[in-house]
Amino acid sequence: MENVLNSTVEEQQEYIINMGPQHPSTHGVLRLVLSLKGETVLSVEPHIGYIHRGIEKMCESITYPQIIHLTDRMDYLSAHINNEAVCLAVEKALDVEVPERVKYIRTIMAELTRIQSHQLWWASFGMDLGALTCFFYGLRDREKILDIFEETTGGRMIVSYNCPGGLMYDIHPNFQTRVKEFISYFRKILPEYNQLLTDNVIFHERSKGMGVLTREDAIAFGITGPSARASGFSCDVRKHEPYSAYDKVKINEIMYSAGDTFHRYTARIDEMWESMNIIEQLIDNIPEGPFFVKMKPVVKLPEGEYYQRVETARGELGVYIISDGNKNPYRIKFRSPNFSNLWVMNHISKGNKIADLVAISGSLDLVIPDIDR
Amino acid sequence: MKSILKYFSEIFYGVKSLLGGMRVTGSYFFRPSTIVTQKYPENRDSLVMFDRFKGEVVMPHNEKNEHKCTGCGICEINCPNGTIEIISKMVETEDGKKKKAIDKHIYRLGMCTFCGLCVKTCPSNALAFGQEFEHAVFDRSELIKVLNQPGSQLEKGVE
């Protein structure tokens, strides 16, 4: 008793607090059990499952075209890319070659999705670190992409634009001009992002050297996406295993080697530039032709196992389908990027202060519904 | 001496970076043309949604109160959530034959996920997406809608 009274907070033993499930900087219902000594993080134990909807199980009882509306709701910020993954897997299984037009439109839409996802990430990352202006600027520019989505697909985030065999509708006549307008607008705006946050001295102090992830650890933990490329792990599926129209464009893989919070940040900013380059290579060359392949009314996959991986805004998404020849899958498994990226948090935030944990988890860009599915 | 210089240069660059950020926000203060905010409830009259906007599923009727729904049930099969339910009835046509027609096309807005499969797969293009998006109601039962208007009939020539 006397010992406790005489000691200060610093000297006391580790204690455990909850961060979440309703914490603003976990960006969803993620619960982190932190073990702290003073302000220093000793370990982070993520508890997941608060938004588990059983999407994989639900997929077993619905048909392949219907799965699209569920994958929309997994990683809602890369909804279009998730849909594309399922469609590509089904098309691979049926040996269907989609028209060139579909491939081009899918690629452009996927890159637009990537930009809007990174914009929202930039907005919320700035807000996590206390720069509230970023949030307004990020959402203001994201609105322009959402308007493009809304005009062509009818949905803003939940687009449901893909279907096995092509697209639900053709692109809107205004699509090309609007995308070009957006790119010329956003090329002027992105340097402002740098002025606001990237060059800020407070931001440098809070992000440089925080949460260092080495290349070996990135591979061992299965980290993918910009977080892994900031550590020097070349893992861009668009480059290594091109799907859709990515084999027709020149892609610069954004690579850094430091692997700290700051470089995970710059990797994403550079990805926005790169995505705009990809769109510019494609937008004027969309070939004429049909926007879907006529499929049978009931899509039945031949018996077997099929796997397709794509690069979402956060990393590699894998869709693994086992079919027993019926109209619905026997088993479907999504290898979601956020689930793998989450578990590195304990490793890279050890020894940092609790305020830096917010920066580190923000730089991993987690979307919780994709973790729980 | 060097450490003092470094100390002051760090302060200088710190202040410079902060002013750089402030210049961005400050410049917007003098450029009111860049404002994108809409005053939503006030601008209801002038608010136009995109023509493909998925507000709700509707069944367009022509001026003679006729729709194109034959009651085939393809939308009901394709809906992933059981949003649509079709109650059909048998009607007698002019030449005395008995034919299936819809009695009620029930659409549960509260369950709809706006995937668009019903509109896309409808063989007679009887369904479409409406522009209405203010769906808040006080009772859940108001979200169950009957899409075909009372007394409506199948348009001539649609099989």
Side-chain angles (χ1 to χ4, degrees):
Chain A
M1 186 65 195
E2 196 153 300
N3 214 354
V4 173
L5 287 176
N6 289 335
S7 62
T8 62
V9 175
E10 302 295 315
E11 285 162 353
Q12 272 177 22
Q13 287 184 338
E14 63 177 276
Y15 63 104
I16 292 177
I17 63 162
N18 257 321
M19 183 167 154
Q22 305 290 348
H23 192 277
S25 72
T26 55
H27 301 236
V29 276
L30 172 69
R31 176 176 164 222
L32 301 172
V33 177
L34 312 177
S35 144
L36 303 170
K37 189 165 194 182
E39 235 189 321
T40 313
V41 177
L42 295 180
S43 76
V44 182
E45 197 186 333
H47 285 231
I48 59 168
Y50 287 91
I51 194 161
H52 177 70
R53 292 150 294 173
I55 283 183
E56 285 175 10
K57 194 71 191 165
M58 279 156 86
C59 289
E60 289 170 21
S61 59
I62 54 177
T63 61
Y64 292 102
Q66 290 174 348
I67 289 175
I68 302 304
H69 93 288
L70 286 177
T71 49
D72 264 338
R73 285 156 176 84
M74 269 184 357
D75 182 350
Y76 48 79
L77 291 176
S78 359
H80 183 270
I81 311 178
N82 293 352
N83 295 347
E84 193 181 351
V86 176
C87 293
L88 287 170
V90 172
E91 283 153 15
K92 198 191 242 179
L94 289 171
D95 223 357
V96 171
E97 180 72 20
V98 293
E100 288 290 293
R101 185 178 176 82
V102 176
K103 289 183 183 175
Y104 274 64
I105 295 169
R106 274 182 182 174
T107 312
I108 293 167
M109 291 289 280
E111 291 307 316
L112 284 174
T113 309
R114 198 181 313 279
I115 294 176
Q116 64 93 6
S117 167
H118 286 336
Q119 279 170 338
L120 185 77
W121 160 81
W122 182 81
S124 59
F125 187 53
M127 197 179 66
D128 284 348
L129 297 175
L132 195 67
T133 322
C134 299
F135 194 72
F136 298 118
Y137 286 10
L139 286 189
R140 174 198 64 190
D141 303 331
R142 183 166 173 261
E143 197 70 14
K144 301 219 181 291
I145 297 188
L146 295 186
D147 276 348
I148 297 172
F149 283 176
E150 195 180 343
E151 195 174 37
T152 289
T153 71
R156 291 163 65 78
M157 271 163 69
I158 310 296
V159 286
S160 288
Y161 188 46
N162 277 304
C163 61
L167 304 166
M168 294 284 266
Y169 341 92
D170 204 354
I171 48 170
H172 197 272
N174 293 346
F175 180 74
Q176 276 157 302
T177 42
R178 267 182 172 268
V179 170
K180 276 186 237 169
E181 258 170 40
F182 166 75
I183 286 178
S184 61
Y185 165 81
F186 197 53
R187 275 191 188 281
K188 281 190 222 112
I189 291 290
L190 247 173
E192 273 185 14
Y193 282 25
N194 288 340
Q195 257 183 325
L196 256 182
L197 195 61
T198 318
D199 296 340
N200 190 299
V201 65
I202 303 169
F203 175 69
H204 281 199
E205 292 294 315
R206 287 202 63 183
S207 61
K208 273 189 180 162
M210 295 294 167
V212 177
L213 175 68
T214 60
R215 183 171 181 272
E216 285 69 34
D217 287 337
I219 295 169
F221 276 96
I223 311 295
T224 45
S227 311
R229 291 196 282 277
S231 304
F233 171 30
S234 164
C235 60
D236 200 329
V237 182
R238 294 175 289 171
K239 203 168 171 77
H240 296 301
E241 203 180 293
Y243 54 95
S244 292
Y246 284 115
D247 49 351
K248 296 182 184 66
V249 291
K250 202 174 145 281
I251 306 170
N252 267 337
E253 197 173 0
I254 312 294
M255 297 282 277
Y256 287 98
S257 54
D260 58 351
T261 303
F262 183 74
H263 285 90
R264 282 195 284 277
Y265 169 89
T266 36
R268 288 200 170 82
I269 294 280
D270 290 352
E271 274 213 346
M272 286 200 251
W273 286 110
E274 194 50 44
S275 291
M276 285 196 284
N277 288 341
I278 294 171
I279 294 170
E280 277 188 337
Q281 290 174 50
L282 295 173
I283 189 72
D284 283 323
N285 312 326
I286 300 178
E288 294 294 317
F291 60 92
F292 64 97
V293 184
K294 192 102 177 106
M295 302 281 271
K296 284 178 190 151
V298 179
V299 181
K300 281 184 184 173
L301 297 201
E303 219 168 294
E305 300 173 8
Y306 310 98
Y307 187 73
Q308 173 68 43
R309 53 192 198 137
V310 297
E311 180 80 19
T312 73
R314 273 157 210 83
E316 178 185 323
L317 173 82
V319 177
Y320 178 57
I321 301 176
I322 303 178
S323 169
D324 55 357
N326 272 330
K327 63 179 181 179
N328 33 23
Y330 175 76
R331 171 84 169 91
I332 191 160
K333 161 90 178 106
F334 298 109
R335 183 254 181 238
S336 70
N338 290 291
F339 184 80
S340 312
N341 290 2
L342 168 71
W343 300 103
V344 82
M345 208 129 96
N346 180 33
H347 181 71
I348 60 176
S349 55
K350 262 182 203 164
N352 282 321
K353 296 279 183 279
I354 187 168
D356 296 327
L357 178 70
V358 173
I360 291 166
S361 76
S363 74
L364 288 173
D365 191 13
L366 300 170
V367 167
I368 313 304
D370 195 32
I371 295 172
D372 293 341
R373 294 195 289 286
Chain B
M1 187 61 200
K2 245 186 184 169
S3 64
I4 293 172
L5 260 179
K6 193 168 168 264
Y7 177 75
F8 280 107
S9 69
E10 267 178 13
I11 290 179
F12 176 73
Y13 283 115
V15 170
K16 199 183 151 197
S17 80
L18 291 180
L19 286 177
M22 278 175 166
R23 212 185 75 192
V24 175
T25 48
S27 75
Y28 279 106
F29 199 69
F30 296 103
R31 280 188 286 159
S33 62
T34 53
I35 294 174
V36 289
T37 323
Q38 291 181 21
K39 291 181 178 168
Y40 159 57
E42 287 88 13
N43 73 348
R44 262 193 197 136
D45 299 330
S46 59
L47 189 67
V48 183
M49 305 307 287
F50 292 112
D51 50 354
R52 289 184 188 175
F53 176 69
K54 292 179 198 165
E56 59 178 341
V57 177
V58 292
M59 190 184 284
H61 287 62
N62 65 4
E63 61 279 2
K64 283 188 266 176
N65 202 15
E66 288 174 338
H67 57 73
K68 289 180 184 166
C69 181
T70 56
C72 63
I74 285 177
C75 51
E76 192 179 352
I77 296 166
N78 272 294
C79 181
N81 317 302
T83 308
I84 294 171
E85 189 184 339
I86 290 170
I87 298 169
S88 54
K89 61 181 178 189
M90 296 308 266
V91 287
E92 210 163 300
T93 49
E94 286 155 10
D95 47 343
K97 280 179 191 164
K98 280 200 170 167
K99 210 179 154 191
K100 207 169 106 180
I102 53 162
D103 187 19
K104 277 177 183 168
H105 188 293
I106 296 172
Y107 168 60
R108 298 186 182 88
L109 180 58
M111 285 162 79
C112 184
T113 51
F114 304 100
C115 62
L117 284 173
C118 52
V119 177
K120 187 173 182 269
T121 52
C122 181
S124 53
N125 290 329
L127 297 174
F129 275 114
Q131 308 282 305
E132 183 59 44
F133 62 92
E134 290 169 336
H135 293 311
V137 286
F138 283 103
D139 195 86
R140 221 178 281 173
S141 61
E142 289 171 50
L143 292 172
I144 302 173
K145 297 181 177 181
V146 178
L147 291 189
N148 53 326
Q149 286 168 10
S152 62
Q153 276 188 331
L154 180 64
E155 203 175 303
K156 290 241 163 60
V158 180
E159 287 300 318

